[in-house]
Structure formats: structure tokens, C-alpha cells
Amino acid sequence: MYKYLNKTWLILLAVITLANVSHAQDPHFDLVTKQSHVAIIYDSAECKLNSIVAHLLAKDIESVTGYLPQVQTNLLLAKGNVILIGSIGSELMKKFPESYPAALNGKWECYALKVLDKPTKNIQQALIISGSDFRGTAYGVFSLSGKIGVSPWYWWADVQAKKQQELSISQADFISSPPAVKYRGIFINDEDWGLQPWAAKTFEPTTNDIGPKTYAKVFELLLRLKANLIWPAMHPSTKAFFHYPGNIKTAEDFQIIIGSSHAEPMLRNNVGEWDEKARGHFNYLTNKDSVYKYWEDRVKETKGINAIYSMGMRGVHDSGIEGVKSADEAVPVLEQIFKDQRHLLTNYVNKDVTAIPQALTIYKEVLDIYDKGLKVPDDITLVWPDDNYGYIQRLNNEKEQQRSGGAGVYYHASYWGRPHDYLWLSSTHPALIREEMMKAYETGADRLWVLNVGDIKPLEYNIQLFLDMAFDPLPFKESGYTKQYLLQWVTDIFGKEKAHQIQSILWQYYQLAFERRPEFMGWSQTEPTTKTNYTAYNHFYFGDEAQQRIDQYNALETAAKKMRPQINDNNAAAFYELVYYPVVCASWMNKKFLYRDKSYYYAQQNRLSAINYANLSKASYDSIVKETAYYNTALAGGKWMNIISMKPRDLPVYQAPVLPVFNIGHADVWNIVPEGYVTKDSSLVSEVNAMLLPALDNIGKQQYFIDIFLNKNETIQWTAKVSDNSIRLSKSNGLLNAANSQQRIWVHIDWDKLTTNRNLTDTITFTVAGKQKVINLQIATINNPALKNYTGFIEQNGFIAIHAANFTKQNNGSLNRWQLADGIGYTDHSIQAVPLSLNNEVFADTNTIQTNDAFTTYNFYTFSEATPIVSVFGLPTHPINNNYRVRYALSIDDGPLQIVDIKTTGRSEQWKQDVLRNRAERKIAMPFINPGEHTLKMYAIDPGVVLDEIRIDLGGLKKAYSVLPETKARQ
């Protein structure tokens, strides 16, 4: 795990370990015992937030112990043990100068914890929670809530604290560090199918909308997660945030900073507030006065509030700026808009405009305009977006790193748009979030991080991961920490006993979603919307890729169902929301399509089971309907009615499966099909002499399947006989009937039993009622001294499969290296070109690359003469900044170097397919090679490139969607 940690980081780990050991010596503080009950005192002269967090803390203590502490503002009434809450400048804290930590002076959102014995005549002990500012105080209070076992998700995910009759803590003097990212928050977006109908119909019917009551819960969650920023909901289904005065007042009470999205300049919600009939077109060239007045009114209204102003201009709703025909034309228009907007801020907010937080999100077409030389005032924060699918489009270059306004990131964990929405479940892999956001942090994007969270509810884990990383990214520098973080998260919620099992379930859930999100399983697209299609999973090769994915989901589904009754009643709802619902529904969504595919393909082979698979597909859809209805009606006593939609926008992927119309032919009662035997002409199935399993050899020690199945509804007994005792079958006889109309038999060779120097035609003969059908076998014994104890990769059936992280050796370059990246990619272990913060010129000519750049070496052995095609699979990342591309290079046997660039432009078809499968596959034709041992070298060129898998096609590689098992010698 610590292979690439530097010495400083290892020392820090040692310090943390020692600190944990010393907890037993920390001051002891009783909150609730048989003899005493704590009281809470806050400074009421400061801000409403002190009162809010004091009362929430009291409720937290009650949720653990059943005792609700008194909350007071009069220190003179305090006695026994008390918790004192206030910022370092408050009158309350001035009364306890010995607790005044000078280290908090002038700090952003920091807090201190200190226990004092007998600070006054009547107070036995005081736990002082002091903040460098109001939010710092709140973070300190909620850190105590976390310490006593109250989750930030106690309300939003029904996570219940463990009950304790008595409650005490050990608390050493503690001063927090400032958050690594200054502004950290969420964007509520695409709320039409969840948060808005839930708020309007269930939680806040008096407002009939997302209003102050809902936002109070959102803001509390943000503070518990040590966040400070909201981009409010802004779709047409929701009235503008400023429509309800209570929203602004609630944000002020909670000290939450109000921002607005990339398409909403000057805190305006154009969708709800720009009336084209009354105001004219939202066009700064033809209707400047009206637009200016529109902005001016909002700036006047927001004077004195905590806000970050979005600058610039786009269309009314996530569209390009009106009135310009090109990016070149847009540059002077936007530069004038900056001047006018900042004039408004100077007039109404602060004469020093540089003291006002401002941000420009360089989203979609704005990036093209920016790259045309757009001059953005230096104090405006540049916010770099991802491409809506988790891959940040670009980050700071060396010059941009010096800007006083700094930079940030707008990142999606939920999205509406082309090539396809993902609004239903949480399907963005946590390792991808870590990889991209740490890349951002290491290149200086640390001023503002905002996560698009859709409706909040399906994304609980990713929200906390994102915000915890923003607050303290240091441990996330090690890629392996992502799994450790998930383990800690589930431990905090469900306890140690089930933690490892739940972590395993959730990690595999995200792994499968990374390979293909549940929302993308229809192989359809949107904008424009297309019909669903058959998946790219191979049903006939590689052990049946489709069935393997079904089996993986069945295992997850079984694990979740088995665990559900084992979860205590207090956390039954939390387990359902955070684990059970997403796991089982993702499983059913996959099976809905994979069973449909089997129904179609097996009908082509006249299999009676095609009918059964059609029924299973329909049953999977029905299960999603039923489970979603439970979520929306019965879960937590109806608390979450209307919060989850299983069909956002009614896209085809969410609908009942469109099942094939077929007619199973009855020319024969039964038949057999070996792995690799694909036909759409059912008449060929009877040509048994052509049936041949892929080759089996003593190096790869492969196993393959044969399916025996019914063509009509009868009952038969079958037997299978092998031509040699070394041929092993998983079954040699069985019964087929309507309920069990097909069986799969696995074939492998017991190489210890195989006769040497054989020259036989090996067969497996299936017999039913005297009628026989034969499968031919190709068995090869390879006696090659060069392969004795060979540890490289070996050709099997005309191809070689390699996982990029399993290199034979590694050579670091003069400026770069390949680094292992755990948890990312289909293989769960990839390699990434680092350092990420490299600002030196990269090498572009092949001779210099081979001399200076890092490379990994893969030894492989072939039996065929071939002109190989090498397929390299990486993450579809974008260049770190505009000084780079996304290049790597490869060579075989130190021959000619092939440079590959996976950079995509705009929303090209290549980009669409890459993000839909989270893979950038490129095929490279390499020079001719003879049989024997070879080396493949992969060179790092641009920083940030992530490689996952390599396939070498020597003439026999078949199509595969999933990762292939490595072709190595098997014991």
C-alpha cells in the first residue's frame, strides 16, 4: 500500500499511530452518567448558528442516551459539566482566556477543543468548543457529534446512533487545520424526479416546493460534512432560490455561502426569473439594458449576504451565449460583461471588488471561448468542470496557478444530457472521483469544489467522500486509501461486525457500475433519444461474458438480501437506502437487458430456454417497480414518499424490456452448442461435425463450456461420453424438461492423465434415446524448454491478454514515471503517468521518448507468425492542461515507437463511446513478429494518463466487452 509514499508521509503516519495510542491518557469528560448530566451554553450575541448547533448537539446527545441536555445562554446558571460554544472573539470565550487558542487567530473555518477542570466555582468541567469563525465553531460542535456516534446522515439516510445509557469521551487539546479547499459544496440539480416532488408533496407541502424547511435540512447536512457552499436547485420544476425570502434567511442562519451554477450569473436563476415576454431576449448585444437591470436588481438585493457571484454569461439554461456566431466573437462580449458585472459589485457590494468572491465556470462552450484568449480578471476563481462523466476537461497550467483568484472544480456525480443521463442511482466510482479530484488538487485547483448531486438521496456516499476529500485531501494522495475510506465509512454507520462485508458489496457494486453504469445498459443514447439495443457483452466466448456479469450481480444481490435481516432494526432503513436498494436495483437493471439478450440469441438457436429468459427479463423490470414503490411509500414510515424515480425523463432504458418476437422451431427435440459456436442460421446447429471447442493446451489450462438444451417441451435423459479419460466434464449426465430446459457443462483437461505423443481425434459424445451428437476437441501438449518457469504472458488461441499493472519490470524516466493506481479501471489496478504537477516540456520525438521517458516492460511469448494488433485500454481522461495531450507510446522488441493520443474533441462520437464505457480503447498495428519471446514496452509521455489493460491480437482475438483474464501459464 505504501510503495510510493515519501518519507514525510510515513513519518506522519507514525505520528498519527502514536496519537491514537495515547488516547487513554487524554482528559476525561462526562456528558451523561448516573451522577451528572451535561448542559450546553452558547454565546447568543454572536449569530443564530450558535443556537442552531447548540440545540442540534443537545438532540444528538439525546439520540444516543435518551437525555436531552439543557441549552442555555447564561453562564451564571451553569453548574456541573458544561459544553461551551462560541467563536474566539465572543464574550463567552473571553471569560476563559486559558482556553483561548492563539493559533485560531485569522484562520478560516478552524476550531479548537479543550477540557478545563473547575474553570468556575459552579462548573466542575467545561468542554470548550471555540471556532476561528462561525462555521469553524459549528464544525467543532459537529465533530463532537461524530465522536459520540451521530452520523451526518442521521436524518438524510436514517442512520441511527448506537444507544448508550452513559456517555463519556476522552478529549485531548485539539486545534484543527484549515480546510484544504476554501469553498466546498454541492449543486442540487435535475431535481424534477426526486427532491422537488418529495419536498412539495411530502416534506414541505405548505411551500409546495423546495423551500426554507428543506434547505434547513440541506444546510445542516452541509455543516455536518464540514461544507460551506450551496448552488441551489434551479430547474423549471423549482421556483428560484430568491423567490422565497425564507431561503435567504435560512442560509444566513446556517452561515451557508450562496452561489449559483455555471449558467446563472450574478445569483440569478434564469429559468425561473428571466421572463422573455416582459424582458426581451437574454442577449447582451441586442438587449443590454434589460439584462443589466436584471443583474443590478439582484446585486442590490444580495448586498451583505454570504455569496459567491458566478460571472460571465451563457444562455438562459445551459446553452451558449446568445448573439454571437463563434468563440472569437464571444471574447470581446464576455470581457465587456465582466467589466459591467464588476461595476455592479463595486457600486452595491464592496468598493474593493477583489474582496468579493467571484467565479467563472469554464463549462462546455466557455472553454472554447477561454482558449481564444479571453481575459478574465485575475481575482476571479476559474472553475474547471469535468466532461459531465467524471473526467475533468482541463486544469491549471503554470501561469494559471499564479492567479490570485485561484481555481476550482465543478464535478458531476449525476447528469442529465448526452450521450446518456445517469440520474437514478449512485454510479460514479469513488476511485475515479479520488483520481480526478486529487489531480485537481495537486495542480492547484483548491479554491472551490462543487459536486453536482442531483437529488442528494442516491448519492450519500459520494457526497461525503467528495467533501471529506475537499476538507483534508492528504490521506487520499495514496490511491489505496479509497478502499480504506469506504471501510471506515460503513464501520461508522453499521459497526465493525458487518463492515468488511458491506464494504465488499459496495466496492463490487461500484466496480460493476464503472464497467457499465446501470443507466447505460440499454446501449441507447439521448439528445436525440434512441431505442435500446442489444448489449456488447459476448454470450458465446470467454466463458460467456454476459452470464459472468449476471453471476456477479446475483452474488451481490444474494449478499445484500442475506445481510438485510441481520442488520439491527435501528439501521434497517439506512441499510436499505445506502446498500440494499442500489445493489438490487442495479442487479435487476442489468439482468433486464442481459436476460433479454439471451432470449434473443437463444431463440436464434431454437432453444426453449429463450422463453424463460424473456420471462426473467420482465420479472427483473417488475422487481425494480416493486422495490421503488416500497422506497416511496413504506420505507421509514413514508418519510421518503416521492423521493426516488426509477425512470427519470422516461428514457427507453428505464421502460419495460422490449422483448423479441420469436418462434422456437421444433425440427429436433434437443441440441448442443459449444463455446465459440455462433450462428443465426438454426439449420447449421445440426451440422455436428463442424462443432469444435476452442483449443485447450497444457500452458493455459483452459476450460470451456458446452450447452445442451431442449428445442421443444419434452423430458429427456442425456449422457456424455469422452474419448479419453483425461477429458473432464463438470457433468456427464442429466435431465432436461420444461423447468430445466438447458444445462451448461464445463470441459477441461486433467493434464496428468493425458497420454503423451497422442495423435487422436478427441471427442465428447452426447446421447439421448440412442441419438448422438459430437463435439470435437483440439488438445495441444506444448513441450517448449523456453517456457519452463516462464513468468511472462503466453499466447492462447491467437491472442494475449495483459493487465497493465502487472508489468515485468519498470524503468523510471528522467522526468516521469508510471505509478500504480489501486482501485481504478476494470482490472481494479491500473498505472498512471506521474508527476501530475509536471510543468516541464514533454518529449514528442520517438528517439527522445525512448531515451528519457519512463516505461513498463511486459514479456510475452508467441507461437504464431503474426502482424499483431495491440489494443490498449485506458481511462478516457483529458489533458491536465493546455500544455499537454493524452499520449503514451509503445514498441515491440524495441522496434519502431508508436505514439498514441487518446485526446478527444468536444462531444465527438469517440468521446461518447469512451465515457459510456469508461474506457478509451485504441488499436495499434505493429510490425511483423516471428514465434518466440518478445517484449512490449509502454512509455509514459503526458502526465495523468491511466492505462488499464492491453490485448495483443495475433489473429484469434474475439470481441469482448469486459476485461479478459490474463493469458499466463497456469498451475
Side-chain angles (χ1 to χ4, degrees):
M1 174 178 178
Y2 305 120
K3 183 175 180 180
Y4 294 98
L5 296 183
N6 61 35
K7 186 176 181 181
T8 302
W9 180 220
L10 289 172
I11 291 171
L12 179 60
L13 283 175
V15 171
I16 292 171
T17 303
L18 290 174
N20 289 336
V21 171
S22 68
H23 280 175
Q25 301 171 4
D26 294 341
H28 182 84
F29 184 80
D30 293 330
L31 288 95
V32 177
T33 69
K34 293 177 180 178
Q35 293 77 29
S36 65
H37 297 80
V38 74
I40 300 171
I41 298 174
Y42 69 92
D43 192 321
S44 61
E46 284 200 292
C47 64
K48 179 68 177 294
L49 183 57
N50 281 357
S51 172
I52 291 172
V53 298
H55 284 87
L56 286 171
L57 177 60
K59 294 293 290 182
D60 289 348
I61 294 171
E62 182 186 31
S63 71
V64 175
T65 66
Y67 170 74
L68 180 65
Q70 289 186 342
V71 179
Q72 305 169 350
T73 59
N74 190 343
L75 184 62
L76 297 177
L77 299 178
K79 59 182 179 179
N81 280 12
V82 297
I83 298 170
L84 302 178
I85 297 171
S87 71
I88 55 175
S90 67
E91 292 301 315
L92 178 62
M93 290 301 139
K94 289 178 182 178
K95 298 181 188 300
F96 300 92
E98 65 270 44
S99 71
Y100 192 105
L104 291 184
N105 286 330
K107 295 294 179 64
W108 176 263
E109 297 181 344
C110 294
Y111 62 91
L113 305 174
K114 185 179 183 65
V115 175
L116 295 180
D117 292 325
K118 294 294 290 183
T120 70
K121 178 181 177 181
N122 294 325
I123 297 178
Q124 184 67 29
Q125 271 190 316
L127 173 56
I128 311 288
I129 304 176
S130 55
S132 63
D133 49 33
F134 299 150
R135 283 188 298 273
T137 303
Y139 298 159
V141 170
F142 288 133
S143 74
L144 177 58
S145 296
K147 193 163 188 173
I148 66 174
V150 177
S151 168
W153 299 100
Y154 82 96
W155 192 87
W156 278 98
D158 299 301
V159 177
Q160 301 300 303
K162 183 180 179 181
K163 304 298 181 183
Q164 302 179 57
Q165 290 184 343
E166 296 192 346
L167 184 61
S168 301
I169 63 168
S170 295
Q171 181 60 61
D173 291 355
F174 175 81
I175 300 176
S176 73
S177 299
V181 177
K182 187 170 186 178
Y183 301 111
R184 312 162 308 283
I186 63 173
F187 177 24
I188 298 172
N189 193 215
D190 309 320
E191 68 276 8
D192 314 48
W193 302 275
L195 195 66
Q196 201 284 333
W198 168 79
K201 300 173 184 177
T202 306
F203 186 66
E204 198 172 356
T206 54
T207 307
N208 195 33
D209 205 351
I210 301 174
K213 184 180 178 183
T214 303
Y215 275 116
K217 288 296 186 184
V218 174
F219 297 158
E220 179 193 338
L221 175 66
L222 290 178
L223 291 179
R224 288 181 181 270
L225 294 172
K226 296 186 175 69
N228 59 17
L229 174 65
I230 186 71
W231 285 5
M234 44 69 72
H235 262 225
S237 61
T238 310
K239 287 187 172 62
F241 185 79
F242 283 85
H243 176 82
Y244 302 105
N247 287 347
I248 298 91
K249 177 64 167 58
T250 303
E252 180 183 356
D253 289 346
F254 281 85
Q255 292 291 306
I256 293 296
I257 301 165
I258 304 169
S260 56
S261 75
H262 52 85
E264 301 175 284
M266 310 308 284
L267 297 180
R268 276 293 193 178
N269 179 341
N270 301 326
V271 171
E273 295 182 320
W274 182 264
D275 184 347
E276 188 171 298
K277 290 183 179 179
R279 298 179 184 272
H281 288 287
F282 195 59
N283 186 317
Y284 209 68
L285 291 174
T286 62
N287 194 21
K288 177 177 178 178
D289 290 345
S290 183
V291 174
Y292 187 87
K293 179 66 167 56
Y294 171 69
W295 289 339
E296 183 177 37
D297 290 344
R298 180 52 44 79
V299 174
K300 289 180 181 179
E301 182 184 359
T302 55
K303 179 181 180 179
I305 71 168
N306 283 322
I308 296 177
Y309 291 86
S310 287
M311 308 299 284
M313 187 178 187
R314 299 188 66 221
V316 169
H317 186 198
D318 198 5
S319 56
I321 184 171
E322 293 185 22
V324 296
K325 298 178 182 178
S326 68
D328 287 312
E329 284 188 23
V331 169
V333 177
L334 277 177
E335 289 178 353
Q336 183 60 49
I337 287 172
F338 292 148
K339 292 177 182 177
D340 295 343
Q341 290 173 335
R342 285 162 71 82
H343 180 72
L344 289 172
L345 295 175
T346 301
N347 279 353
Y348 298 109
V349 180
N350 191 324
K351 295 297 182 184
D352 181 6
V353 71
T354 65
I356 304 169
Q358 303 157 65
L360 173 68
T361 303
I362 306 178
Y363 188 66
K364 292 185 178 177
E365 81 288 340
V366 183
L367 179 58
D368 296 329
I369 300 169
Y370 179 80
D371 284 339
K372 290 293 184 179
L374 179 70
K375 293 181 178 64
V376 182
D378 195 66
D379 58 281
I380 294 179
T381 300
L382 299 180
V383 181
W384 304 109
D386 68 329
D387 60 3
N388 306 314
Y389 293 84
Y391 300 94
I392 299 173
Q393 289 193 285
R394 63 157 291 195
L395 291 160
N396 292 328
N397 58 33
E398 191 172 14
K399 182 179 178 181
E400 289 156 348
Q401 287 178 343
Q402 308 306 314
R403 300 180 74 260
S404 63
V409 175
Y410 166 45
Y411 195 84
H412 288 77
S414 174
Y415 182 64
W416 163 344
R418 65 176 185 256
H420 202 285
D421 305 0
Y422 57 102
L423 300 172
W424 177 36
L425 300 175
S426 176
S427 56
T428 302
H429 200 298
L432 176 63
I433 298 174
R434 187 218 71 87
E435 184 271 331
E436 289 291 294
M437 295 311 300
M438 289 307 299
K439 182 165 65 179
Y441 180 74
E442 291 187 28
T443 54
D446 60 1
R447 186 63 57 89
L448 177 152
W449 286 12
V450 173
L451 183 68
N452 186 319
V453 302
D455 293 308
I456 297 178
K457 272 302 294 160
L459 296 176
E460 296 93 341
Y461 175 65
N462 280 351
I463 291 171
Q464 185 161 356
L465 170 73
F466 181 90
L467 294 175
D468 280 356
M469 197 186 313
F471 195 86
D472 181 15
L474 181 60
F476 291 93
K477 287 189 175 183
E478 168 58 39
S479 61
Y481 182 71
T482 316
K483 289 181 180 178
Q484 182 182 337
Y485 176 88
L486 176 57
L487 178 62
Q488 187 59 55
W489 190 75
V490 297
T491 300
D492 290 343
I493 293 174
F494 300 108
K496 290 183 179 180
E497 183 183 353
K498 306 294 183 186
H500 282 281
Q501 293 171 272
I502 297 174
Q503 180 215 34
S504 177
I505 291 171
L506 288 177
W507 189 264
Q508 180 68 354
Y509 163 82
Y510 281 114
Q511 278 294 107
L512 290 168
F514 186 77
E515 186 171 295
R516 193 81 180 189
R517 295 180 194 261
E519 296 91 341
F520 299 169
M521 282 300 295
W523 257 257
S524 52
Q525 295 185 195
T526 192
E527 298 181 14
T529 298
T530 63
K531 296 179 180 179
T532 60
N533 208 333
Y534 295 102
T535 76
Y537 285 95
N538 197 322
H539 294 251
F540 303 105
Y541 286 98
F542 307 112
D544 189 343
E545 277 193 307
Q547 188 60 51
Q548 289 171 11
R549 188 165 174 88
I550 291 169
D551 292 344
Q552 288 174 307
Y553 268 115
N554 279 338
L556 273 188
E557 192 180 327
T558 299
K561 288 178 176 178
K562 182 178 179 180
M563 184 167 290
R564 189 179 179 189
Q566 300 173 14
I567 300 297
N568 63 56
D569 291 343
N570 282 343
N571 273 328
F575 182 80
Y576 183 89
E577 296 164 44
L578 301 175
V579 182
Y580 186 83
Y581 180 83
V583 166
V584 298
C585 286
S587 174
W588 290 325
M589 176 65 95
N590 275 262
K591 291 191 289 186
K592 179 178 80 172
F593 288 106
L594 295 173
Y595 284 147
R596 175 210 59 180
D597 290 3
K598 285 198 173 295
S599 178
Y600 169 75
Y601 291 125
Y602 289 173
Q604 298 293 328
Q605 296 179 334
N606 278 330
R607 300 196 194 193
L608 190 64
S609 62
I611 299 170
N612 182 50
Y613 281 112
N615 293 334
L616 288 172
S617 175
K618 178 61 167 59
S620 297
Y621 170 79
D622 292 341
S623 294
I624 297 173
V625 173
K626 182 179 178 180
E627 208 63 61
T628 306
Y630 172 81
Y631 202 130
N632 284 322
T633 57
L635 177 65
K639 174 182 177 180
W640 299 114
M641 188 174 294
N642 305 303
I643 196 68
I644 290 288
S645 171
M646 57 166 281
K647 49 181 181 177
R649 288 218 286 169
D650 281 335
L651 293 180
V653 70
Y654 300 115
Q655 304 303 317
V658 179
L659 298 170
V661 177
F662 51 77
N663 181 28
I664 304 300
H666 294 161
D668 208 344
V669 175
W670 65 283
N671 220 321
I672 52 175
V673 169
E675 178 170 349
Y677 193 84
V678 185
T679 176
K680 289 188 178 181
D681 184 348
S682 59
S683 64
L684 295 178
V685 176
S686 62
E687 296 179 8
V688 295
N689 290 332
M691 288 193 183
L692 189 67
L693 272 180
L696 301 112
D697 64 65
N698 61 319
I699 302 295
K701 297 185 178 178
Q702 305 89 342
Q703 69 167 359
Y704 299 109
F705 66 81
I706 301 169
D707 288 344
I708 181 169
F709 53 88
L710 291 176
N711 299 122
K712 62 174 62 174
N713 188 2
E714 292 190 12
T715 299
I716 65 170
Q717 293 275 356
W718 64 270
T719 60
K721 184 178 179 181
V722 298
S723 61
D724 188 87
N725 188 46
S726 64
I727 303 169
R728 298 303 171 92
L729 308 180
S730 59
K731 297 175 183 177
S732 58
N733 60 80
L735 175 74
L736 294 182
N737 53 34
N740 181 34
S741 64
Q742 69 178 27
Q743 290 181 356
R744 177 158 287 177
I745 299 95
W746 288 96
V747 182
H748 74 277
I749 305 300
D750 184 343
W751 295 97
D752 292 332
K753 301 288 186 182
L754 188 68
T755 306
T756 58
N757 301 319
R758 301 164 68 254
N759 186 20
L760 302 172
T761 300
D762 288 295
T763 59
I764 304 171
T765 303
F766 288 82
T767 304
V768 174
K771 185 172 183 179
Q772 295 183 337
K773 298 186 178 185
V774 178
I775 300 290
N776 295 312
L777 276 67
Q778 311 167 76
I779 302 175
T781 303
I782 300 171
N783 295 313
N784 189 330
L787 295 179
K788 185 177 182 181
N789 301 319
Y790 186 71
T791 58
F793 301 89
I794 303 173
E795 176 186 349
Q796 291 183 21
N797 286 316
F799 72 94
I800 291 169
I802 301 169
H803 296 177
N806 293 336
F807 44 80
T808 306
K809 64 179 180 178
Q810 176 181 8
N811 291 70
N812 291 335
S814 58
L815 295 174
N816 62 0
R817 69 184 188 277
W818 287 110
Q819 176 175 281
L820 289 173
D822 288 335
I824 195 75
Y826 286 21
T827 64
D828 201 30
H829 302 282
S830 297
I831 56 173
Q832 182 176 43
V834 294
L836 299 175
S837 56
L838 183 68
N839 282 313
N840 296 314
E841 182 180 358
V842 298
F843 304 122
D845 67 280
T846 57
N847 289 334
T848 310
I849 290 170
Q850 286 180 307
T851 304
N852 293 279
D853 277 347
F855 61 88
T856 49
T857 301
Y858 306 86
N859 294 342
F860 68 94
Y861 198 97
T862 64
F863 305 113
S864 317
E865 291 184 344
T867 302
I869 304 293
V870 178
S871 294
V872 181
F873 298 84
L875 267 61
T877 54
H878 301 284
I880 284 186
N881 60 48
N882 58 350
N883 292 329
Y884 303 110
R885 298 186 69 82
V886 192
R887 291 169 296 184
Y888 54 85
L890 66 160
S891 69
I892 290 180
D893 298 335
D894 291 320
L897 200 66
Q898 302 282 340
I899 297 176
V900 181
D901 189 350
I902 62 173
K903 182 180 183 297
T904 51
T905 303
R907 296 190 168 196
S908 64
E909 189 59 33
Q910 181 69 65
W911 169 79
K912 290 177 184 178
Q913 298 311 312
D914 287 354
V915 296
L916 286 171
R917 67 181 301 193
N918 276 318
R919 270 195 151 184
E921 178 186 5
R922 300 297 184 267
K923 295 183 177 182
I924 306 100
M926 303 300 287
F928 175 85
I929 60 174
N930 286 305
E933 187 172 1
H934 305 277
T935 59
L936 169 70
K937 290 181 179 178
M938 301 298 303
Y939 289 85
I941 301 178
D942 291 299
V945 173
V946 179
L947 301 184
D948 186 24
E949 184 189 5
I950 303 162
R951 300 174 189 167
I952 304 174
D953 185 3
L954 303 164
L957 182 64
K958 304 299 189 293
K959 287 185 179 180
Y961 184 87
S962 303
V963 64
L964 294 183
E966 291 183 302
T967 55
K968 302 190 83 170
R970 292 180 174 84
Q971 300 303 315

